Protein backbone atom coordinates (compact mmCIF):
# COMPACT_ATOMS: atom_id res chain seq x y z
CA UNK A 1 0.00 0.00 0.00
CA UNK A 2 1.32 3.40 -0.97
CA UNK A 3 1.99 6.03 1.67
CA UNK A 4 2.02 9.64 0.47
CA UNK A 5 3.29 12.54 2.60
CA UNK A 6 2.72 16.15 1.60
CA UNK A 7 3.33 19.52 3.16
CA UNK A 8 1.57 22.87 3.04
CA UNK A 9 4.02 25.71 3.65
CA UNK A 10 2.43 28.86 5.09
CA UNK A 11 4.11 32.26 4.97
CA UNK A 12 2.62 35.76 5.22
CA UNK A 13 -0.90 34.37 4.90
CA UNK A 14 0.02 32.51 1.70
CA UNK A 15 0.49 28.84 0.88
CA UNK A 16 2.92 27.26 -1.58
CA UNK A 17 0.99 25.15 -4.10
CA UNK A 18 1.98 23.02 -7.06
CA UNK A 19 -0.23 23.20 -10.14
CA UNK A 20 -0.11 19.84 -11.90
CA UNK A 21 -0.06 19.94 -15.70
CA UNK A 22 -2.63 17.22 -16.45
CA UNK A 23 -5.83 18.71 -15.00
CA UNK A 24 -4.50 22.09 -13.84
CA UNK A 25 -5.38 21.09 -10.28
CA UNK A 26 -3.49 22.52 -7.30
CA UNK A 27 -1.88 20.28 -4.65
CA UNK A 28 0.44 20.59 -1.68
CA UNK A 29 3.90 19.38 -2.74
CA UNK A 30 4.75 15.85 -1.62
CA UNK A 31 5.21 12.31 -2.76
CA UNK A 32 5.78 8.68 -1.91
CA UNK A 33 7.37 7.54 1.31
CA UNK A 34 10.37 5.26 0.98
CA UNK A 35 10.83 2.02 2.91
CA UNK A 36 11.88 2.73 6.49
CA UNK A 37 11.18 6.46 6.40
CA UNK A 38 8.95 8.10 8.99
CA UNK A 39 6.06 10.21 7.69
CA UNK A 40 7.85 13.30 9.07
CA UNK A 41 11.08 12.52 7.21
CA UNK A 42 9.18 11.72 4.00
CA UNK A 43 7.19 14.97 4.06
CA UNK A 44 10.33 17.09 4.50
CA UNK A 45 12.35 15.19 1.89
CA UNK A 46 9.62 15.19 -0.75
CA UNK A 47 8.78 18.85 -0.14
CA UNK A 48 12.43 19.93 -0.43
CA UNK A 49 12.98 17.88 -3.57
CA UNK A 50 9.91 19.34 -5.28
CA UNK A 51 10.25 22.97 -4.16
CA UNK A 52 13.89 23.73 -3.26
CA UNK A 53 12.54 25.15 0.01
CA UNK A 54 13.46 23.99 3.52
CA UNK A 55 10.41 23.76 5.81
CA UNK A 56 10.55 24.59 9.53
CA UNK A 57 8.13 24.12 12.44
CA UNK A 58 6.28 21.32 10.73
CA UNK A 59 3.30 19.57 12.32
CA UNK A 60 0.89 16.83 11.23
CA UNK A 61 -2.58 18.14 10.34
CA UNK A 62 -4.26 15.26 8.51
CA UNK A 63 -4.20 11.48 8.08
CA UNK A 64 -6.50 10.17 5.38
CA UNK A 65 -7.45 6.81 3.94
CA UNK A 66 -7.72 7.29 0.16
CA UNK A 67 -9.90 4.81 -1.71
CA UNK A 68 -10.39 4.54 -5.47
CA UNK A 69 -13.51 2.67 -6.52
CA UNK A 70 -14.82 1.25 -9.76
CA UNK A 71 -18.49 0.72 -8.98
CA UNK A 72 -18.52 -1.13 -5.63
CA UNK A 73 -15.04 -2.51 -6.09
CA UNK A 74 -12.00 -0.97 -4.37
CA UNK A 75 -9.31 -0.75 -7.05
CA UNK A 76 -6.71 1.18 -5.03
CA UNK A 77 -6.21 2.32 -1.46
CA UNK A 78 -3.43 4.37 0.11
CA UNK A 79 -2.62 6.59 3.09
CA UNK A 80 -2.11 10.36 2.88
CA UNK A 81 -0.26 12.30 5.60
CA UNK A 82 -0.50 16.10 5.43
CA UNK A 83 1.80 18.43 7.35
CA UNK A 84 1.96 22.22 7.62
CA UNK A 85 5.14 24.25 7.97
CA UNK A 86 4.90 27.70 9.53
CA UNK A 87 8.39 28.66 8.47
CA UNK A 88 10.24 28.23 5.20
CA UNK A 89 13.77 29.03 4.05
CA UNK A 90 14.83 29.54 0.43
CA UNK A 91 13.17 30.50 -2.85
CA UNK A 92 10.92 27.94 -4.51
CA UNK A 93 11.49 26.65 -8.04
CA UNK A 94 9.02 28.29 -10.44
CA UNK A 95 8.48 25.23 -12.60
CA UNK A 96 9.60 21.62 -12.41
CA UNK A 97 8.59 18.47 -14.28
CA UNK A 98 5.91 18.07 -11.58
CA UNK A 99 4.24 21.40 -12.46
CA UNK A 100 4.23 25.10 -11.57
CA UNK A 101 4.98 26.33 -8.05
CA UNK A 102 3.61 29.60 -6.66
CA UNK A 103 2.37 31.28 -3.50
CA UNK A 104 -1.42 31.70 -3.26
CA UNK A 105 -3.55 33.24 -0.54
CA UNK A 106 -4.97 30.88 2.09
CA UNK A 107 -8.38 32.21 1.06
CA UNK A 108 -7.87 30.96 -2.51
CA UNK A 109 -7.79 27.33 -1.26
CA UNK A 110 -11.59 27.61 -1.20
CA UNK A 111 -11.84 28.26 -4.95
CA UNK A 112 -8.73 27.06 -6.83
CA UNK A 113 -9.36 23.92 -8.89
CA UNK A 114 -8.35 20.80 -6.94
CA UNK A 115 -9.62 17.39 -5.87
CA UNK A 116 -12.55 17.96 -3.51
CA UNK A 117 -10.97 15.99 -0.70
CA UNK A 118 -7.77 18.02 -1.01
CA UNK A 119 -9.82 21.17 -0.43
CA UNK A 120 -11.29 19.72 2.80
CA UNK A 121 -7.78 18.73 3.86
CA UNK A 122 -5.88 21.93 2.95
CA UNK A 123 -8.51 24.42 4.18
CA UNK A 124 -8.47 22.64 7.56
CA UNK A 125 -4.67 22.37 7.64
CA UNK A 126 -4.19 26.10 7.00
CA UNK A 127 -6.96 27.54 9.19
CA UNK A 128 -7.88 25.21 12.09
CA UNK A 129 -6.31 23.79 15.25
CA UNK A 130 -5.98 20.02 15.67
CA UNK A 131 -5.79 17.01 13.39
CA UNK A 132 -8.25 15.76 10.80
CA UNK A 133 -8.75 12.07 10.04
CA UNK A 134 -11.00 10.50 7.49
CA UNK A 135 -11.68 8.57 4.34
CA UNK A 136 -12.03 9.96 0.82
CA UNK A 137 -13.61 7.72 -1.80
CA UNK A 138 -12.99 8.68 -5.43
CA UNK A 139 -13.84 7.33 -8.84
CA UNK A 140 -10.92 6.37 -11.08
CA UNK A 141 -11.43 9.77 -12.73
CA UNK A 142 -10.91 11.44 -9.34
CA UNK A 143 -14.44 12.59 -8.76
CA UNK A 144 -15.25 12.49 -5.05
CA UNK A 145 -17.80 9.79 -4.17
CA UNK A 146 -17.83 10.36 -0.41
CA UNK A 147 -15.88 11.91 2.42
CA UNK A 148 -16.08 10.92 6.09
CA UNK A 149 -14.19 13.22 8.43
CA UNK A 150 -13.26 13.18 12.12
CA UNK A 151 -11.05 15.62 13.99
CA UNK A 152 -9.48 16.07 17.41
CA UNK A 153 -7.61 18.74 19.33
CA UNK A 154 -5.10 17.89 22.05
CA UNK A 155 -6.61 18.42 25.54
CA UNK B 1 1.07 -3.09 3.94
CA UNK B 2 -0.58 -3.53 7.33
CA UNK B 3 -1.90 -0.55 9.23
CA UNK B 4 -2.27 -1.02 12.99
CA UNK B 5 -4.16 1.42 15.22
CA UNK B 6 -3.97 1.25 18.99
CA UNK B 7 -5.20 3.34 21.88
CA UNK B 8 -3.91 4.11 25.34
CA UNK B 9 -6.79 4.94 27.71
CA UNK B 10 -5.79 7.16 30.63
CA UNK B 11 -7.89 7.48 33.79
CA UNK B 12 -6.93 8.60 37.30
CA UNK B 13 -3.23 8.50 36.39
CA UNK B 14 -3.55 4.91 35.18
CA UNK B 15 -3.43 3.32 31.72
CA UNK B 16 -5.33 0.28 30.44
CA UNK B 17 -2.85 -2.30 29.14
CA UNK B 18 -3.23 -5.73 27.58
CA UNK B 19 -0.73 -8.39 28.67
CA UNK B 20 -0.19 -10.76 25.74
CA UNK B 21 0.16 -14.44 26.64
CA UNK B 22 3.14 -15.36 24.44
CA UNK B 23 5.93 -13.23 25.93
CA UNK B 24 4.03 -11.64 28.83
CA UNK B 25 4.64 -8.23 27.20
CA UNK B 26 2.27 -5.32 27.74
CA UNK B 27 0.68 -3.40 24.84
CA UNK B 28 -1.98 -0.77 24.25
CA UNK B 29 -5.13 -2.50 22.92
CA UNK B 30 -5.61 -2.23 19.17
CA UNK B 31 -5.44 -4.09 15.91
CA UNK B 32 -5.57 -4.05 12.14
CA UNK B 33 -7.37 -1.33 10.18
CA UNK B 34 -9.96 -2.52 7.69
CA UNK B 35 -10.20 -1.34 4.09
CA UNK B 36 -11.72 2.15 3.91
CA UNK B 37 -11.52 2.87 7.64
CA UNK B 38 -9.84 6.01 8.93
CA UNK B 39 -7.15 5.56 11.56
CA UNK B 40 -9.48 7.25 14.08
CA UNK B 41 -12.35 4.84 13.37
CA UNK B 42 -10.02 1.84 13.48
CA UNK B 43 -8.49 2.81 16.83
CA UNK B 44 -11.92 3.22 18.46
CA UNK B 45 -13.38 0.03 16.94
CA UNK B 46 -10.41 -2.16 17.79
CA UNK B 47 -10.14 -0.75 21.32
CA UNK B 48 -13.84 -1.31 22.02
CA UNK B 49 -13.75 -4.83 20.63
CA UNK B 50 -10.74 -5.79 22.74
CA UNK B 51 -11.68 -4.05 26.00
CA UNK B 52 -15.47 -3.52 26.16
CA UNK B 53 -14.70 0.12 27.00
CA UNK B 54 -15.83 3.19 25.04
CA UNK B 55 -13.05 5.77 24.66
CA UNK B 56 -13.71 9.53 24.66
CA UNK B 57 -11.59 12.59 23.86
CA UNK B 58 -9.20 10.64 21.70
CA UNK B 59 -6.21 12.25 20.00
CA UNK B 60 -3.35 10.99 17.83
CA UNK B 61 0.00 10.84 19.67
CA UNK B 62 2.24 8.73 17.45
CA UNK B 63 2.75 7.57 13.87
CA UNK B 64 5.48 5.01 13.40
CA UNK B 65 7.04 3.07 10.55
CA UNK B 66 7.66 -0.45 11.83
CA UNK B 67 10.36 -2.46 10.08
CA UNK B 68 11.28 -6.10 10.66
CA UNK B 69 14.74 -7.07 9.41
CA UNK B 70 16.57 -10.31 8.84
CA UNK B 71 20.18 -9.15 8.58
CA UNK B 72 20.11 -6.27 6.09
CA UNK B 73 16.90 -7.45 4.44
CA UNK B 74 13.50 -5.89 5.24
CA UNK B 75 11.12 -8.83 5.74
CA UNK B 76 8.07 -6.84 6.88
CA UNK B 77 7.02 -3.21 7.18
CA UNK B 78 3.84 -1.67 8.55
CA UNK B 79 2.41 1.56 9.98
CA UNK B 80 1.42 2.02 13.65
CA UNK B 81 -0.97 4.80 14.74
CA UNK B 82 -1.23 5.40 18.50
CA UNK B 83 -4.02 7.40 20.11
CA UNK B 84 -4.72 8.38 23.71
CA UNK B 85 -8.17 8.68 25.26
CA UNK B 86 -8.56 10.92 28.30
CA UNK B 87 -12.03 9.59 29.08
CA UNK B 88 -13.42 6.06 29.16
CA UNK B 89 -16.87 4.63 29.80
CA UNK B 90 -17.58 1.07 30.92
CA UNK B 91 -15.72 -1.70 32.73
CA UNK B 92 -12.98 -3.51 30.83
CA UNK B 93 -12.98 -7.27 30.27
CA UNK B 94 -10.50 -8.94 32.63
CA UNK B 95 -9.32 -11.56 30.19
CA UNK B 96 -9.92 -12.23 26.50
CA UNK B 97 -8.32 -14.53 23.94
CA UNK B 98 -5.93 -11.60 23.29
CA UNK B 99 -4.64 -11.59 26.88
CA UNK B 100 -5.23 -10.01 30.30
CA UNK B 101 -6.52 -6.45 30.67
CA UNK B 102 -5.76 -4.28 33.70
CA UNK B 103 -5.11 -0.70 34.80
CA UNK B 104 -1.47 0.11 35.58
CA UNK B 105 0.14 3.35 36.73
CA UNK B 106 1.55 5.65 34.05
CA UNK B 107 4.83 5.37 35.93
CA UNK B 108 4.89 1.59 35.41
CA UNK B 109 5.18 2.08 31.61
CA UNK B 110 8.86 2.71 32.29
CA UNK B 111 9.44 -0.75 33.75
CA UNK B 112 6.75 -3.25 32.64
CA UNK B 113 8.02 -5.80 30.09
CA UNK B 114 7.25 -4.64 26.55
CA UNK B 115 8.83 -4.09 23.14
CA UNK B 116 11.39 -1.29 23.51
CA UNK B 117 9.77 0.83 20.83
CA UNK B 118 6.38 0.49 22.52
CA UNK B 119 7.91 1.95 25.67
CA UNK B 120 9.20 5.00 23.76
CA UNK B 121 5.76 5.37 22.18
CA UNK B 122 3.57 4.85 25.27
CA UNK B 123 5.67 6.89 27.71
CA UNK B 124 5.50 9.81 25.28
CA UNK B 125 1.78 9.34 24.57
CA UNK B 126 0.88 9.37 28.26
CA UNK B 127 3.16 12.14 29.52
CA UNK B 128 4.06 14.62 26.73
CA UNK B 129 2.37 17.23 24.54
CA UNK B 130 2.50 16.86 20.75
CA UNK B 131 2.98 14.03 18.29
CA UNK B 132 5.85 11.59 17.89
CA UNK B 133 6.93 10.22 14.52
CA UNK B 134 9.63 7.72 13.77
CA UNK B 135 10.92 4.37 12.64
CA UNK B 136 11.47 1.29 14.78
CA UNK B 137 13.61 -1.48 13.33
CA UNK B 138 13.27 -4.90 14.95
CA UNK B 139 14.69 -8.37 14.46
CA UNK B 140 12.18 -11.13 13.68
CA UNK B 141 12.40 -11.99 17.37
CA UNK B 142 11.28 -8.44 18.25
CA UNK B 143 14.55 -7.17 19.60
CA UNK B 144 14.95 -3.49 18.83
CA UNK B 145 17.74 -2.81 16.29
CA UNK B 146 17.26 0.96 16.06
CA UNK B 147 14.81 3.74 16.76
CA UNK B 148 14.75 7.14 15.05
CA UNK B 149 12.30 9.61 16.58
CA UNK B 150 11.00 13.06 15.66
CA UNK B 151 8.29 15.06 17.39
CA UNK B 152 6.30 18.25 16.94
CA UNK B 153 3.88 20.39 18.92
CA UNK B 154 1.21 22.51 17.25
CA UNK B 155 2.25 26.19 17.18
Amino acid sequence: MQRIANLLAIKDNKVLLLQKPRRGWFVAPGGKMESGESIYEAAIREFQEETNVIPHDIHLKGVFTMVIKSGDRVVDEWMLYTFVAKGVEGTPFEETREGKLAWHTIESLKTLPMAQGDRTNLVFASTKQGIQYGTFEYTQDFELISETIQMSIEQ
Side-chain angles (χ1 to χ4, degrees), chain A:
Chain A
M1 176 171 301
Q2 290 284 4
R3 299 163 295 177
I4 306 289
N6 65 8
L7 191 150
L8 186 65
I10 304 177
K11 188 182 176 181
D12 302 334
N13 218 35
K14 292 189 170 176
V15 290
L16 185 59
L17 298 176
L18 177 70
Q19 187 176 25
K20 306 273 274 186
R22 187 170 158 204
R23 292 186 174 86
W25 287 2
F26 291 82
V27 300
K32 292 175 191 167
M33 279 173 63
E34 292 173 2
S35 174
E37 272 188 320
S38 75
I39 64 168
Y40 182 98
E41 291 168 332
I44 292 174
R45 179 186 54 74
E46 281 287 343
F47 182 83
Q48 288 189 193
E49 284 174 10
E50 285 202 356
T51 66
N52 195 40
V53 165
I54 299 168
H56 295 290
D57 299 330
I58 92 167
H59 190 70
L60 183 64
K61 295 295 293 179
V63 179
F64 301 99
T65 306
M66 308 292 291
V67 177
I68 306 294
K69 280 183 149 180
S70 171
D72 284 345
R73 196 166 56 91
V74 173
V75 292
D76 200 5
E77 181 166 348
W78 70 89
M79 297 303 295
L80 173 64
Y81 309 101
T82 297
F83 288 82
V84 291
K86 296 286 178 71
V88 296
E89 194 183 315
T91 304
F93 298 130
E94 291 184 4
E95 186 154 10
T96 73
R97 64 189 171 82
E98 300 288 338
K100 287 179 187 166
L101 281 164
W103 293 96
H104 300 267
T105 62
I106 289 176
E107 190 64 21
S108 70
L109 288 170
K110 293 182 185 162
T111 50
L112 288 171
M114 62 179 70
Q116 257 185 273
D118 285 3
R119 196 181 311 284
T120 300
N121 179 12
L122 299 180
V123 167
F124 178 91
S126 56
T127 63
K128 307 283 188 191
Q129 286 285 112
I131 305 179
Q132 246 186 358
Y133 319 93
T135 302
F136 296 114
E137 287 188 333
Y138 284 99
T139 66
Q140 285 169 294
D141 214 31
F142 246 74
E143 284 182 43
L144 189 70
I145 300 167
S146 73
E147 65 174 48
T148 310
I149 299 293
Q150 305 94 36
M151 66 87 64
S152 69
I153 295 177
E154 182 146 46
Q155 304 288 309

